[in-house]
C-alpha cells in the first residue's frame, strides 16, 4: 500500500487551483489520480460538487465541467471544489459499478484505506475532500434506461434542523421536482456519511435516457440556482422549462411506491413522467418472453400520485423496479 490519500495542491491557495486527488494504489490497481478544480475566494460557503459517482450517469460530469468553465468569472466569495468524476474506472466502462471489484461506489462510504479500489476512492474522498466542505452537491442521473423528472433529492434525516436545511437547499435548485426519497439500502451511501457529520448534502437526479442539449441546459441552470441561493454567485434564480411547461413541486415517496415487475419479461411503459395517476390506473404492462399464450401482467398505481420515473421499454428480471410514484410532501 502506498502513501495516504492526498491532494497535489493546497486548497487554501487563493484563486483557481487545478490538480488531483491521489488515491493510493493496492494489489488490484495502482495509484489513481482524480482531477480536482478549486476556486477559493476567501470567507463564505464551502461547497463540494462531485459527478461520476456512477459510471453510466454522464450528465453529472458534463455539468461539472460546464461549471468549471464559467465559475471563475462568476464566483463572489467562499470556496468551491469540483470533482467531475469520482469513479473513472466505472465511467470508462460505462458501468454503474467498478469493473475491478464489482462494487457500487455509492454503497461503500466512508470507505477503507486497506480495501479494494472502490473502497480506497471512497476513503480518499471522505478523508481529504469531505472535511473541506459544509455543503455537498453530488450530481447523478437515473441512467440510460429511465425517463425521469430532473430532481434534487434527499433522504429522510433524523435531525429535524438538518432535514429542513437540506430540503430548502434542494428546493433552491428550482428543478421540476424536489424529492424526499427513502432507500432500504442506505448503508454506505455518500450522503449518509456527509449527513452524519452535519453537512447539507443534495443528490441531484438529472433525468435519464438520452443525454441531450436541452436537458443539460436545465441541469446546469439548477446548479447555478443553487449557487445563487448559497450566495456564491450573484444573479436571479429561474425555474427551468421542462417539456414546455414550468413545473416545481416538493414530493415524497415511500418504499411501497417502488413498482416492481412480478415476473421476468418485457416492460412496456403506458404513462410518462409528470402524469397524474389515480389508484388502479395503468402504469405499464409486463409481457412474457416464454409464451405467447401467457397473459400479460398489468402494473397499476397503488394510489393517487404523480409518476416521477419510469423505465424504458426493456427486458426486466423479476422484482426489478420499473416505475416510481410520489405525492406532495407534508412536513
Amino acid at each position: 500500500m502506498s502513501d495516504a490519500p492526498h491532494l497535489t495542491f493546497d486548497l487554501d491557495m487563493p484563486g483557481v487551483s487545478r490538480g488531483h486527488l491521489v488515491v493510493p494504489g493496492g494489489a488490484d490497481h495502482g495509484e489513481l489520480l482524480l482531477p480536482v478544480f478549486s476556486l477559493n475566494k476567501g470567507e463564505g460557503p464551502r461547497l463540494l460538487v462531485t459527478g461520476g459517482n456512477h459510471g453510466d450517469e454522464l450528465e453529472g460530469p458534463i455539468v461539472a465541467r460546464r461549471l468549471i468553465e464559467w465559475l471563475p468569472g462568476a464566483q463572489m466569495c467562499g470556496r468551491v471544489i469540483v470533482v467531475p468524476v469520482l469513479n473513472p474506472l466505472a465511467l470508462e466502462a460505462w458501468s454503474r459499478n467498478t469493473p475491478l471489484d464489482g462494487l457500487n461506489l455509492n454503497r461503500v462510504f466512508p470507505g477503507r484505506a486497506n480495501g479494494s479500489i472502490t473502497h480506497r476512492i471512497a476513503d480518499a474522498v471522505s478523508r481529504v475532500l469531505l472535511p473541506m466542505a459544509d455543503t455537498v452537491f453530488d450530481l447523478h442521473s437515473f441512467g440510460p434506461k429511465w425517463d425521469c423528472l430532473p430532481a434534487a433529492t434527499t433522504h429522510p434525516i433524523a435531525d429535524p434542523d438538518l432535514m429542513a436545511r437540506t430540503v430548502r437547499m434542494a428546493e433552491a435548485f428550482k428543478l421540476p421536482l424536489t424529492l424526499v426519497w427513502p432507500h432500504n439500502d442506505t448503508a454506505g451511501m455518500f450522503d449518509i456519511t456527509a449527513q452524519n457529520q452535519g453537512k447539507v448534502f443534495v443528490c441531484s437526479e438529472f433525468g435519464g435516457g438520452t443525454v441531450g442539449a436541452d436537458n443539460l441546459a436545465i441541469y446546469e441552470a439548477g446548479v447555478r440556482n443553487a449557487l445563487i441561493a448559497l450566495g456564491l454567485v450573484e444573479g436571479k434564480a429561474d425555474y427551468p422549462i421542462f417539456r414546455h411547461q414550468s413545473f416545481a413541486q416538493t414530493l415524497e415517496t415511500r418504499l411501497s411506491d417502488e413498482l416492481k415487475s412480478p415476473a421476468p419479461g418485457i416492460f412496456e411503459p403506458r404513462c410518462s413522467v409528470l402524469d397524474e395517476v389515480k389508484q388502479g390506473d395503468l402504469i405499464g404492462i409486463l409481457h412474457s418472453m416464454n409464451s405467447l399464450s401467457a397473459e400479460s401482467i398489468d402494473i397499476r398505481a397503488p394510489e393517487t400520485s404523480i409518476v416521477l420515473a419510469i423505465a424504458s421499454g426493456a427486458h426486466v428480471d423479476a422484482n426489478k423496479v420499473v416505475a416510481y410514484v410520489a405525492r406532495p410532501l407534508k412536513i
Side-chain angles (χ1 to χ4, degrees):
M1 188 66 65
S2 58
D3 295 336
H6 61 278
L7 286 166
T8 60
F9 64 96
D10 183 0
L11 275 178
D12 291 329
M13 275 194 339
V16 172
S17 300
R18 290 179 172 87
H20 293 88
L21 173 65
V22 179
V23 179
D28 57 348
H29 192 281
E31 188 176 83
L32 191 64
L33 302 178
L34 306 185
V36 178
F37 167 93
S38 171
L39 178 50
N40 182 8
K41 289 210 169 180
E43 294 296 321
R46 303 189 306 163
L47 174 67
L48 171 63
V49 181
T50 57
N53 195 324
H54 294 137
D56 60 350
E57 300 174 5
L58 304 183
E59 290 88 344
I62 293 171
V63 172
R65 291 299 297 263
R66 288 188 176 191
L67 173 61
I68 290 170
E69 290 175 3
W70 57 258
L71 193 62
Q75 186 174 325
M76 305 297 295
C77 65
R79 180 170 63 198
V80 179
I81 303 167
V82 184
V83 187
V85 179
L86 287 179
N87 194 343
L89 302 177
L91 186 76
E92 290 166 7
W94 202 51
S95 168
R96 181 175 177 83
N97 297 347
T98 311
L100 284 177
D101 56 17
L103 295 178
N104 179 342
L105 175 60
N106 206 31
R107 296 299 185 274
V108 303
F109 278 89
R112 297 200 317 270
N114 61 350
S116 65
I117 183 60
T118 309
H119 283 282
R120 298 199 303 276
I121 293 172
D123 175 69
V125 173
S126 299
R127 286 206 279 159
V128 178
L129 296 179
L130 194 54
M132 301 295 181
D134 303 313
T135 304
V136 182
F137 298 159
D138 194 27
L139 310 182
H140 286 251
S141 70
F142 256 67
K145 298 180 180 180
W146 285 86
D147 185 14
C148 174
L149 279 166
T153 78
T154 184
H155 298 149
I157 303 170
D159 180 340
D161 176 67
L162 182 59
M163 181 70 194
R165 288 189 288 124
T166 301
V167 170
R168 285 197 299 269
M169 189 72 259
E171 289 175 334
F173 278 71
K174 300 192 183 301
L175 290 173
L177 178 65
T178 301
L179 181 65
V180 178
W181 187 7
H183 273 278
N184 56 9
D185 60 346
T186 54
M189 296 184 79
F190 189 13
D191 52 347
I192 302 300
T193 296
Q195 289 162 356
N196 286 342
Q197 298 178 24
K199 301 177 187 295
V200 170
F201 188 110
V202 175
C203 173
S204 61
E205 294 286 354
F206 284 157
T210 302
V211 182
D214 290 344
N215 284 346
L216 287 169
I218 292 173
Y219 311 149
E220 183 180 5
V223 172
R224 187 179 184 90
N225 285 342
L227 294 176
I228 291 170
L230 279 172
L232 287 164
V233 302
E234 290 184 338
K236 182 180 179 181
D238 191 21
Y239 286 97
I241 300 299
F242 177 70
R243 295 185 182 173
H244 308 294
Q245 61 180 302
S246 181
F247 176 91
Q249 290 196 42
T250 300
L251 305 178
E252 64 177 342
T253 188
R254 311 180 189 124
L255 294 178
S256 60
D257 293 328
E258 298 181 354
L259 309 186
K260 299 182 178 181
S261 56
I266 297 175
F267 175 70
E268 175 193 346
R270 283 294 185 95
C271 60
S272 302
V273 296
L274 282 181
D275 283 355
E276 295 185 13
V277 293
K278 297 179 180 179
Q279 184 177 16
D281 282 355
L282 187 63
I283 298 290
I285 301 175
L286 190 70
H287 302 287
S288 172
M289 289 186 61
N290 300 322
S291 172
L292 291 178
S293 60
E295 289 189 5
S296 297
I297 302 171
D298 291 346
I299 298 173
R300 297 185 177 274
E303 59 182 271
T304 298
S305 49
I306 294 172
V307 178
L308 67 93
I310 190 163
S312 299
H315 175 264
V316 294
D317 294 326
N319 205 39
K320 291 296 183 181
V321 179
V322 293
Y324 293 89
V325 296
R327 64 205 47 77
L329 174 66
K330 297 177 181 179
I331 299 180

